[in-house]
């Protein structure tokens, strides 16, 4: 029996009067009678939904959303209101798991703060589609870096080479009319140290986040951080170019770290305090290195060195938009008022940045270094 037939059978036999509610005992017997089984995570959600209703019933619409794995806030709301303690063992007690399932369990404990969410993700996780976005971005960045490294015969401080700054991918204020540069700069890096730092974080944090929250949400967060980074530089550091994917990386990392802090008691990842301190030290060191290169370049250069403001704007995107995304696992973002507030705020910032780039440079008389 397919899902559509099952839904019709549920409504015809268990809710013939179209009241909108179904008794959980009748539904469970119906599923067993027709030899259909619920995933353990879905059964947990069903119990939680029932406990949120004082009459021991489950809303028909919430039941359909649960059966179809539709993103919804129904089960989270039910768990928050329910009084029943789920009887199933925690995921750490699961035995006989294969390599992939053990990795999925590891990701669940790294990213999600709630045991019920972790079980839901564990049973819903599939190999297809794989988390390809962060992997593809990282591969492209490495390939581009290798190409310029071979061409320039230089692997660190590549921005001091005029040929590097002539790349059509680098954001330079003199070329800001070429709008693709506000995004394409993420494929260029100052040197091996910046590329290594960004690639490591993209794979260690970005890939697990993409596995749990999906390619659409994580790619949106990453790209928003990248765009916000170049736009912020064009407003606050108007003479400086920008290279590197740090805006997107800091959006991901800041969102994850903020989510860990706000759900500290629920996070079960090992050594979380030590890892939190280590992550903050590494991120602060990278910002400090970028500030040093911007204002005290170690080598003579023909113009200003890349700005560090992309790091800071990426972190702001992560703490605001990113935190909301990570806290909305299996919830529809478009149904949340705070999501639309953030979207409106970003669009306002985008329009302001566009007008700034069109008019402010001439009005303020900014002396832009000639583009290479």
């Amino acid at each position: 029996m397919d899902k559509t037939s099952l839904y019709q059978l549920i409504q015809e036999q268990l809710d013939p009067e179209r009241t909108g509610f179904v008794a959980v005992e009748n539904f469970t017997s119906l599923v067993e009678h027709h030899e259909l089984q619920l995933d353990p995570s879905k059964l947990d959600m069903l119990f939680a939904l029932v406990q949120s209703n004082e009459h021991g019933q489950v809303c028909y619409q919430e039941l359909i959303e649960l059966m179809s794995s539709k993103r919804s806030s129904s089960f989270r709301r039910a768990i928050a209101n329910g009084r029943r303690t789920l009887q199933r063992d925690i995921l750490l007690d699961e035995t006989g798991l294969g390599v992939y399932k053990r990795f999925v369990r590891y990701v669940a404990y790294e990213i999600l703060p709630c045991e019920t969410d972790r079980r839901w993700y564990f049973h819903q996780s599939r190999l297809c589609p794989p988390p390809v976005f962060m992997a593809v971005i990282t591969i492209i960045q490495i390939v581009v870096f290798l190409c310029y490294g071979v061409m320039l015969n230089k692997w660190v401080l590549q921005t001091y080479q005029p040929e590097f700054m002539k790349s059509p991918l680098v954001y330079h204020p003199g070329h800001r009319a070429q709008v693709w540069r506000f995004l394409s700069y993420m494929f260029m890096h100052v040197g091996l140290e910046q590329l290594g730092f960004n690639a490591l974080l993209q794979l260690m944090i970005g890939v697990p986040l993409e596995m749990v929250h999906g390619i659409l949400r994580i790619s949106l967060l990453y790209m928003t951080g990248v765009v916000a980074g170049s736009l912020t530089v064009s407003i606050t550091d108007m003479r400086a170019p920008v290279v590197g994917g740090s805006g997107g990386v800091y959006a991901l990392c800041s969102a994850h770290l903020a989510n860990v802090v706000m759900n500290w008691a629920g996070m079960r990842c090992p050594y979380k305090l030590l890892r939190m301190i280590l992550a903050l030290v590494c991120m602060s060191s990278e910002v400090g290195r970028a500030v040093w290169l911007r204002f005290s370049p170690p080598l003579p250069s023909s113009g200003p060195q890349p700005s560090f403001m992309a790091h800071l704007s990426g972190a702001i995107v992560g703490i605001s938009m990113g935190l909301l995304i990570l806290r909305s696992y299996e919830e529809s973002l478009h149904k949340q008022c705070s999501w639309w507030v953030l979207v409106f705020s970003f669009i306002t910032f985008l329009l302001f940045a566009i007008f700034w780039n069109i008019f402010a440079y001439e009005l303020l008389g900014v002396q832009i270094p000639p583009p290479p």
Side-chain angles (χ1 to χ4, degrees):
M1 180 182 295
D2 58 17
K3 289 184 177 180
T4 303
S5 301
L6 176 61
Y7 300 158
Q8 294 176 349
L9 188 62
I10 292 173
Q11 192 163 34
E12 291 174 359
Q13 295 191 9
L14 303 184
D15 189 24
E17 298 181 358
R18 304 296 178 91
T19 62
F21 290 91
V22 176
V24 67
E25 296 84 359
N26 296 338
F27 172 74
T28 304
S29 63
L30 176 67
V31 173
E32 294 175 351
H33 177 72
H34 287 272
E35 299 181 351
L36 294 173
Q37 295 183 350
L38 283 173
D39 290 338
S41 58
K42 290 186 177 181
L43 191 57
D44 289 346
M45 297 304 108
L46 180 60
F47 287 144
L49 286 171
V50 173
Q51 288 302 312
S52 68
N53 184 281
E54 59 182 7
H55 301 295
Q57 297 175 324
V58 59
C59 174
Y60 176 75
Q61 184 60 39
E62 291 180 344
L63 179 60
I64 297 304
E65 291 178 353
L66 180 64
M67 293 294 295
S68 62
S69 299
K70 179 181 178 181
R71 287 186 181 272
S72 170
S73 61
S74 300
F75 73 87
R76 184 181 295 275
R77 187 169 60 249
I79 293 172
N81 297 332
R83 296 180 297 273
R84 183 182 187 278
T85 301
L86 303 180
Q87 299 297 321
R88 298 185 176 275
D89 296 331
I90 62 175
L91 278 182
L92 290 176
D93 297 331
E94 295 275 359
T95 58
L97 300 177
V99 175
Y100 172 70
K101 275 302 192 181
R102 287 200 298 270
F103 179 66
V104 169
R105 180 175 61 182
Y106 165 79
V107 169
Y109 277 95
E110 285 290 313
I111 303 300
L112 296 170
C114 175
E115 183 65 26
T116 308
D117 287 350
R118 290 192 282 260
R119 291 195 62 86
W120 176 271
Y121 167 70
F122 179 80
H123 291 285
Q124 292 294 320
S125 177
R126 300 292 185 269
L127 273 172
C128 186
V132 296
F133 175 75
M134 294 311 309
V136 169
I137 291 294
T138 304
I139 291 173
I140 295 176
Q141 290 172 340
I142 293 175
V143 170
V144 170
F145 176 78
L146 292 176
C147 290
Y148 278 92
V150 171
M151 182 177 66
L152 302 174
N153 193 26
K154 191 175 182 64
W155 304 98
V156 295
L157 300 178
Q158 292 183 346
T159 52
Y160 290 88
Q161 299 293 319
E163 292 300 321
F164 179 88
M165 298 304 293
K166 290 179 182 179
S167 170
L169 301 179
V170 174
Y171 168 81
H172 190 282
H175 291 307
R176 66 186 185 280
Q178 300 172 357
V179 293
W180 71 83
R181 292 175 181 261
F182 285 90
L183 187 63
S184 64
Y185 78 93
M186 70 179 180
F187 297 117
M188 307 290 288
H189 287 81
V190 172
L192 186 61
E193 69 287 350
Q194 186 189 25
L195 174 65
F197 179 80
N198 286 348
L200 183 64
L201 290 181
Q202 286 174 178
L203 296 178
M204 291 185 62
I205 296 180
V207 170
L209 287 176
E210 185 179 347
M211 290 177 63
V212 173
H213 296 281
I215 185 174
L216 292 179
R217 295 188 175 194
I218 298 306
S219 62
L220 173 64
L221 175 58
Y222 185 89
M223 291 301 185
T224 302
V226 169
V227 174
S230 55
L231 291 177
T232 301
V233 170
S234 70
I235 296 173
T236 61
D237 199 357
M238 300 170 68
R239 301 180 69 249
V242 189
V243 295
S246 298
V249 171
Y250 274 64
L252 295 178
C253 294
S254 299
H256 178 58
L257 294 179
N259 191 45
V260 170
V261 170
M262 295 192 67
N263 298 280
W264 189 262
M267 298 300 294
R268 298 289 299 274
C269 48
Y271 308 109
K272 56 186 177 182
L273 179 59
L274 177 61
R275 293 164 63 181
M276 173 74 71
I277 296 175
L278 182 61
L280 292 175
V281 169
C282 291
M283 294 173 66
S284 300
S285 300
E286 170 62 15
V287 174
R289 186 195 66 86
V291 173
W292 170 64
L293 291 177
R294 173 67 180 89
F295 295 110
S296 300
L299 297 174
S301 61
S302 59
Q305 287 299 294
S307 176
F308 59 91
M309 291 302 298
H311 299 70
L312 304 182
S313 60
I316 294 174
V317 170
I319 295 174
S320 54
M321 178 183 293
L323 182 58
L324 177 62
I325 290 177
L326 299 195
R327 295 184 66 187
S328 301
Y329 173 67
E330 289 294 337
E331 293 187 33
S332 299
L333 291 173
H334 69 273
K335 296 181 180 179
Q336 303 183 46
C337 180
S338 53
W339 170 252
W340 292 111
V341 171
L342 288 172
V343 171
F344 175 78
S345 300
F346 182 76
I347 292 176
T348 302
F349 168 72
L350 180 63
L351 294 175
F352 172 78
I354 292 174
F355 280 97
W356 182 275
N357 278 272
I358 294 175
F359 301 109
Y361 280 77
E362 293 185 4
L363 292 176
L364 297 177
V366 178
Q367 297 297 321
I368 302 174

